[in-house]
Amino acid sequence: MYPNSPQPNSGANSPFLANHEDEIDLKVLIFNYLQYWPLLLIFMFSGLVAAFLFNRYTTPIYKVESSILVADDKPSLGMDLFESSGLGMLQGKNNIENEIGILKSFSLAEEAIEDLGLNVQYFQEEFFKTSQLYGSVPLMVTVDWTQPQLVGGMFKIAVIDEKTFHLTISNDEFSVYSPSDKFFKSLFEEDLSLKEVYSFGEVISGEFYSFKIDLINALPGDEILFRVLDTPSLALQLREELNVAPINKQASILTLSLETPVRRLGQDYINKLMEMYLQRELEEKNKASENTVLFIDQQLSGITDSLRYSENRLQQYRTENRVFNLSQEGAVIFERLQELEKERAQTEVTLKYYKTLQTYLSNNQSTDLVAPSVIGITDPLLNSLVQSLSELQAEQVRLKANFTDQTPVVRENASRVQNAKRALQENVNLASQNTQNVLADLNNRIKMIERDVNSLPQTERNLLGIQRQFTINENIYVYLLQKKAEAEITKAANMPTNSVLDFAKSGQLPVAPKRSLNLLIGMILGLILPIGFITVKDFLNTKIEDPKELEKQIKVPLIGMIGRSTSDEALPVFNNPRSSVTESFRSLRADLAYLSPQKRNLSLLFTSTISGEGKTFVSMNMASVFALMGKKTVLIGLDLRKPRIAQDFNLSNDKGMSTCLSSDISWKDVVKASGYENLDVILSGPIPPNPAELLLQDKFKVIVNEIKEAYDVVVFDCPPVGLVSETKELFGFADVNFYVFRQGYSMKGNSQILNNLVEKGGVTKIYGVFNDLHIDKGYGYGYGYGYGYGYGNNSYGYHEEVQLPWWKRALRRQS
């Protein structure tokens, strides 16, 4: 029995069958792609070749890395208490984040570029690529940045001899850089006129360019490309390309990395950047010492004159009055006064510092502050506030160099500066008031001691006053000199807090292109592109390809599938009885025993939607398989508009069914021998002007009944039901009706026509037949699906086997 024939209790819901069907669907999907295996191989090979060429001619990119150790900030005594007080006047800063910001700052990148002279880039053309030169360049281009310059485009130098060269333009995408507005460049759209030949060392100048080219070691015939880039644009570019990140969340070690096609350039740039970074830190430290020395020098300039005056006066008084030493009583009084006045002098210096600090805060000055500890003020909170304000102001200067005033980070830091100033102002006011109280107390104590001076002789009193003034000035002068020396020693001993752990070094292997990955991507793309094309093609295909898809679409059973004939013969049943196509017709014949049981005479009707779907081929061969059984069979051609049976049997269509219906000629007179035993043919006859009316008359019914009495099997070859109307009336003359579909030819919408015949037209006993099933369209759909089931050689098999492709034979063995 045919595998797809309808049976009672067929077990359609069996899990085993469901799994088997899923397996078949997967195989169909695989075979659908494997039939294009030459195309897949070509595209995969092309993808590998493209990836290989990409790897071969793409400039490799290397990763350059270095590391810096950032020293942790140690808050001053009292600073932690102030920050945790919840007042919000000062906020702790993240030292790592600040150092990352400094390393990625525009100003630092600009300094490194200017120091290295990276504004001119040199290139050399190679096969299919251009390589950048760095270090030992054959030419040196010197640009005059004091006037506008053309940047971005590419110049080409062709060396003629040791003195002259050709200068041309290789890429004219120029912009005009103006030193008056460094961050704005205008497009250069004019034609740049250059002389044909220039001399080395000659200044090449125009309205928007001025540079000279010096020969180093280039040889005649060498061609060098160069490009001029302005410092701000290059600084912004390198700033974006530089990656600075801590090695982990807990560490204070920063890793600097840069991906560049020129390893040495990347190493030099990162090393120079770290050098500038440490130099900047050292300069920031030295500023505090320099400001301290400046403040002390200002104080010394005033006290020096007073000291010199008092010294001269003391010397003159001693000479004139011949008095050199104080009495014992005067010495005791003088010692007490000296101690108090020394303390008062230091207090006055402290008060003067507070006044200077108040003026600084009131006027919103931005110059660097002098630390209180420099002049002997040991208040830890005041020292912490001054240090924090100084750092916040330095951070504000750095941020403004890279962002506008309206940027959130700048506005946030400005708010921190104001909070720090308010906190410092309150502390300074309180400290100044306390210092004034101390100074007043000292003055009172000095006045009390001065009363004892009145008991001394006049000469001694005068000497005591003059020596007292000299000692006061001398103590202040010595004190200031000591602090100045300390500041200068501090400056000389200053070292950067941070340090370089590893200088820049490049990896041995490039990070791009990733050769293995590119080859894999090329192969995958080479596979995906044709698969995608095939998938889209199949998705947009409106033809019926898959038998299972047809089974789901039609409302009647798909009773048979006819494979594609390997020859052009119209009657493979007679001419090639052992072919797989013949076997598929035998299978269909066997199924008829279940479709129309216990019928002595059998009538079959074949139709389709349109011409070309193979209904005539199927009806002819179906009649042939019954004739081979010894059944007396007749094939009737009812397609009166487009007959084909006559030429397939090599007969003349001079008479036939149209002749009987349009005249008094008996049907027996139009029967023709097919040339094969047990098979007769009634052709359609000459094409009449009214085929539909001929077939609908009562005479046709009488003729059909007589033919059924005379033959065991009657096969009707009807016109396409989708094109003509009379076929719908002919379904009632047959015991079993077949609707023929053709793989790769019948439209998917044809299934709806068959469903309408069943649901609306009331046609019964109709089944689907799938014709011209290709060997390369699927796997394992019954006997007619392109391969046999013989035991091996043709001489011993049930029918001839069709040779499968190697990949199908392999999968068939695995299954």
Side-chain angles (χ1 to χ4, degrees), residues 101-171:
I102 293 172
L103 285 166
K104 287 183 66 69
S105 65
F106 173 81
S107 57
L108 207 64
E110 195 173 31
E111 291 175 11
I113 291 169
E114 290 177 349
D115 197 69
L116 289 173
L118 302 180
N119 302 94
V120 181
Q121 297 177 345
Y122 304 88
F123 301 89
Q124 189 171 21
E125 290 182 331
E126 298 178 358
F127 187 65
F128 282 125
K129 68 177 182 179
T130 301
S131 300
Q132 184 175 352
L133 304 176
Y134 179 76
S136 300
V137 292
L139 300 167
M140 180 62 67
V141 179
T142 305
V143 182
D144 182 7
W145 291 105
T146 61
Q147 71 172 52
Q149 291 291 343
L150 291 177
V151 295
M154 193 83 75
F155 293 94
K156 184 175 184 179
I157 300 172
V159 180
I160 301 175
D161 51 38
E162 295 181 354
K163 296 183 178 180
T164 58
F165 61 90
H166 282 291
L167 181 64
T168 56
I169 297 173
S170 178
N171 184 341

Side-chain angles (χ1 to χ4, degrees), residues 10-241:
S10 62
N13 297 325
S14 171
F16 175 78
L17 290 179
N19 293 337
H20 184 65
E21 288 180 357
D22 291 342
E23 181 182 356
I24 292 176
D25 288 340
L26 179 60
K27 289 181 178 180
V28 171
L29 182 63
I30 294 175
F31 292 147
N32 186 44
Y33 292 117
L34 285 181
Q35 64 177 309
Y36 300 99
W37 66 267
L39 182 65
L40 297 178
L41 288 180
I42 291 174
F43 270 83
M44 288 176 63
F45 179 75
S46 300
L48 287 173
V49 170
F52 172 79
L53 294 176
F54 179 81
N55 290 336
R56 174 67 178 81
Y57 295 108
T58 298
T59 302
I61 304 297
Y62 295 90
K63 187 173 185 179
V64 181
E65 290 184 309
S66 69
S67 59
I68 285 183
L69 175 62
V70 178
D72 295 330
D73 278 347
K74 295 180 180 179
S76 303
L77 180 62
M79 190 67 178
D80 51 349
L81 296 176
F82 193 78
E83 289 180 348
S84 60
S85 62
L87 298 178
M89 290 181 288
L90 283 177
Q91 299 182 17
K93 69 181 182 69
N94 188 330
N95 192 44
I96 291 293
E97 293 298 327
N98 285 346
E99 300 308 311
I100 291 176
I102 293 172
L103 285 166
K104 287 183 66 69
S105 65
F106 173 81
S107 57
L108 207 64
E110 195 173 31
E111 291 175 11
I113 291 169
E114 290 177 349
D115 197 69
L116 289 173
L118 302 180
N119 302 94
V120 181
Q121 297 177 345
Y122 304 88
F123 301 89
Q124 189 171 21
E125 290 182 331
E126 298 178 358
F127 187 65
F128 282 125
K129 68 177 182 179
T130 301
S131 300
Q132 184 175 352
L133 304 176
Y134 179 76
S136 300
V137 292
L139 300 167
M140 180 62 67
V141 179
T142 305
V143 182
D144 182 7
W145 291 105
T146 61
Q147 71 172 52
Q149 291 291 343
L150 291 177
V151 295
M154 193 83 75
F155 293 94
K156 184 175 184 179
I157 300 172
V159 180
I160 301 175
D161 51 38
E162 295 181 354
K163 296 183 178 180
T164 58
F165 61 90
H166 282 291
L167 181 64
T168 56
I169 297 173
S170 178
N171 184 341
D172 60 354
E173 296 180 358
F174 289 103
S175 299
V176 178
Y177 165 80
S178 175
S180 61
D181 190 353
K182 297 182 179 181
F183 293 94
F184 175 78
K185 294 191 294 293
S186 58
L187 292 177
F188 182 76
E189 299 178 351
E190 303 175 13
D191 292 332
L192 186 61
S193 58
L194 297 173
K195 295 192 304 182
E196 292 187 0
V197 178
Y198 290 93
S199 299
F200 288 109
E202 173 187 356
V203 176
I204 304 171
S205 60
E207 182 181 2
F208 297 111
Y209 59 93
S210 178
F211 55 85
K212 69 174 182 175
I213 301 173
D214 295 311
L215 178 66
I216 298 179
N217 55 14
L219 300 176
D222 287 351
E223 292 185 349
I224 307 298
L225 303 174
F226 75 90
R227 175 172 57 197
V228 178
L229 295 174
D230 58 287
T231 300
S233 298
L234 189 56
L236 291 174
Q237 176 188 339
L238 292 176
R239 174 189 171 191
E240 293 299 323
E241 294 177 355

Side-chain angles (χ1 to χ4, degrees), residues 526-540:
L527 185 63
I528 289 177
L529 289 177
I531 287 179
F533 172 76
I534 295 168
T535 303
V536 172
K537 181 180 73 69
D538 291 344
F539 177 77
L540 299 177

Side-chain angles (χ1 to χ4, degrees), residues 22 181 308 318 324 461 473 480 495 581 610 772:
D22 291 342
D181 190 353
R308 185 179 298 112
R318 282 177 173 175
F324 299 98
R461 285 202 309 269
N473 292 330
L480 290 176
M495 291 290 290
V581 177
I610 58 175
D772 196 28

Side-chain angles (χ1 to χ4, degrees), residues 289-478:
S289 299
E290 291 170 357
N291 291 331
T292 301
V293 172
L294 179 62
F295 174 78
I296 293 175
D297 284 339
Q298 291 174 352
Q299 304 304 314
L300 282 173
S301 64
I303 200 65
T304 301
D305 293 338
S306 299
L307 178 61
R308 185 179 298 112
Y309 173 75
S310 59
E311 182 181 11
N312 293 334
R313 185 182 175 192
L314 176 62
Q315 184 177 3
Q316 182 180 3
Y317 185 81
R318 282 177 173 175
T319 303
E320 292 176 355
N321 297 280
R322 299 182 182 274
V323 179
F324 299 98
N325 295 318
L326 295 172
S327 64
Q328 184 177 3
E329 182 181 1
V332 172
I333 295 173
F334 177 74
E335 184 178 354
R336 290 170 58 193
L337 279 173
Q338 186 179 10
E339 291 177 358
L340 290 174
E341 287 176 341
K342 180 179 179 180
E343 185 177 352
R344 183 174 67 176
Q346 294 178 354
T347 304
E348 287 176 345
V349 172
T350 301
L351 184 61
K352 186 177 294 185
Y353 172 78
Y354 288 147
K355 297 296 183 182
T356 303
L357 199 56
Q358 286 176 326
T359 303
Y360 173 90
L361 296 173
S362 300
N363 298 336
N364 288 322
Q365 297 177 8
S366 59
T367 55
D368 292 306
L369 292 170
V370 176
S373 58
V374 172
I375 58 173
I377 299 176
T378 59
D379 185 354
L381 182 57
L382 180 63
N383 278 278
S384 298
L385 289 172
V386 172
Q387 179 185 355
S388 178
L389 178 59
S390 179
E391 291 174 352
L392 288 173
Q393 287 179 331
E395 177 72 6
Q396 189 73 356
V397 172
R398 184 188 67 81
L399 291 174
K400 285 187 175 182
N402 296 282
F403 307 102
T404 64
D405 292 343
Q406 301 302 318
T407 306
V409 65
V410 177
R411 297 172 63 183
E412 181 182 359
N413 195 74
S415 177
R416 293 181 180 180
V417 170
Q418 294 302 320
N419 291 336
K421 281 187 175 181
R422 284 196 294 268
L424 182 59
Q425 181 76 55
E426 294 175 2
N427 187 273
V428 170
N429 291 339
L430 181 60
S432 177
Q433 184 177 354
N434 293 335
T435 304
Q436 289 176 355
N437 293 334
V438 171
L439 184 61
D441 179 63
L442 289 172
N443 288 330
N444 291 331
R445 292 167 65 186
I446 290 172
K447 287 180 180 180
M448 292 176 64
I449 295 176
E450 285 178 346
R451 294 175 185 171
D452 297 334
V453 176
N454 295 328
S455 63
L456 296 175
Q458 178 69 32
T459 304
E460 193 171 357
R461 285 202 309 269
N462 294 338
L463 177 61
L464 179 63
I466 296 172
Q467 189 170 353
R468 172 185 167 194
Q469 186 64 38
F470 170 76
T471 304
I472 292 173
N473 292 330
E474 184 183 31
N475 288 337
I476 295 175
Y477 183 78
V478 171

